[in-house]
Amino acid sequence: MFKRFLYIILILLIIGCGLGLRFIGNYPIESVFIEGELSLPERSLLQEKIRKDFKAGIFDVDLFDKINNIGKHFNWVYSIEVRRDWPNSLVLKVEKILPVAKWNNGKYLSSQAKVIDSVLDYDDLPGFNVTSSSPIKSMQVYRDLAGKLQHNNLNIAELTEDAHGEWSVIMSNGLVVRLGSDGLSRSLRRSILAYSGLAPKVRSNIEYIDARYSGGVVLKVLSDSEMPNYFGFVAND
């Protein structure tokens, strides 16, 4: 009985000493080091936010929550891993969301169709100018259309939806294709088939393709061109 009592006292002393050491050694965080593939402006914004709004001790139980709350202020931050560097430093490994397309009003879209900001300009990404469809719907339309171009030397540079819900694309070579409001993949396939069948000299004079017809497309030549407009009927579509 006495030994059990001594054992309990010893455990309590150990716990008490541990709590005391934790309290005494809970130094305020003075340095925060950021790792990850961030640009200099992104790194600076995150460091400034931490400097202004983050105060904690090295052993605080809510340390990780505090850091992740800081990260939520930047919608391009995907995750932050926190590592303590005793006695008074933290190391943050930041993973960011990379944009895959430009969105209305200077925003960007992630691969999950999340609208994000960016302190960098990604001019080489396709642009989405969409009137009413959601980011998810727009990304689905883009992926469906891009899938039809896998075997052609063309890429979508811009995807547009007007106020009437009609879609069009601008290709990487400047060609405009008006697709309509439904059957978009079929309309694009018809357009590319008709366009590919033209002689190179004729292709260079095409201003746009109107694929909003049942079974066919109209190829409109440049206004200053002496060539006639073309109507293409696509069979077995």
Side-chain angles (χ1 to χ4, degrees):
M1 185 70 178
F2 182 71
K3 288 183 178 180
R4 180 178 296 179
F5 177 74
L6 289 178
Y7 181 69
I8 293 173
I9 294 296
L10 180 61
I11 291 176
L12 292 175
L13 287 173
I14 292 173
I15 293 174
C17 290
L19 292 174
L21 288 173
R22 180 172 180 174
F23 177 78
I24 296 171
N26 191 25
Y27 300 105
I29 302 297
E30 295 184 3
S31 301
V32 178
F33 302 97
I34 298 177
E35 298 177 346
E37 296 182 4
L38 303 182
S39 67
L40 182 58
E42 289 167 339
R43 194 179 299 272
S44 297
L45 283 172
L46 189 53
Q47 286 175 332
E48 179 63 16
K49 184 67 177 175
I50 291 172
R51 185 190 65 81
K52 289 176 58 179
D53 297 344
F54 177 71
K55 291 180 176 59
I58 193 71
F59 287 128
D60 284 0
V61 294
D62 60 348
L63 179 62
F64 293 80
D65 291 335
K66 289 180 179 180
I67 286 293
N68 280 284
N69 285 334
I70 293 289
K72 290 177 182 178
H73 286 81
F74 305 96
N75 57 18
W76 44 265
V77 172
Y78 178 72
S79 65
I80 302 179
E81 294 182 8
V82 185
R83 187 173 76 249
R84 293 180 172 92
D85 189 9
W86 195 85
N88 57 3
S89 299
L90 291 180
V91 179
L92 310 183
K93 185 176 181 180
V94 181
E95 183 178 353
K96 72 175 183 178
I97 301 172
L98 291 175
V100 297
K102 292 178 284 188
W103 183 248
N104 304 336
N105 303 320
K107 303 288 187 178
Y108 290 89
L109 284 185
S110 71
S111 58
Q112 292 78 30
K114 178 183 178 182
V115 179
I116 60 175
D117 299 304
S118 177
V119 295
L120 301 179
D121 293 326
Y122 293 89
D123 294 330
D124 57 333
L125 295 179
F128 291 8
N129 297 306
V130 177
T131 300
S132 58
S133 291
S134 67
I136 293 176
K137 170 67 174 178
S138 303
M139 185 63 74
Q140 180 182 355
V141 169
Y142 173 79
R143 286 172 172 164
D144 289 345
L145 296 178
K148 299 298 180 292
L149 301 172
Q150 291 179 349
H151 303 296
N152 297 275
N153 295 322
L154 292 172
N155 296 301
I156 297 174
E158 186 173 317
L159 175 69
T160 301
E161 180 198 33
D162 65 19
H164 303 289
E166 294 197 338
W167 297 84
S168 63
V169 294
I170 300 178
M171 311 305 296
S172 52
N173 64 350
L175 175 68
V176 177
V177 184
R178 299 175 180 177
L179 300 172
S181 57
D182 52 29
L184 306 182
S185 296
R186 184 173 63 252
S187 296
L188 181 62
R189 184 168 60 250
R190 290 172 177 169
S191 301
I192 297 305
L193 283 172
Y195 182 75
S196 300
L198 299 175
K201 182 179 179 180
V202 178
R203 286 184 211 163
S204 63
N205 282 277
I206 298 297
E207 181 180 357
Y208 66 83
I209 299 176
D210 193 338
R212 298 172 295 174
Y213 300 91
S214 177
V217 298
V218 171
L219 293 85
K220 177 70 171 63
V221 300
L222 296 169
S223 57
D224 58 352
S225 173
E226 298 180 357
M227 296 181 179
N229 295 329
Y230 295 85
F231 178 82
F233 177 79
V234 182
N236 299 322
D237 182 48

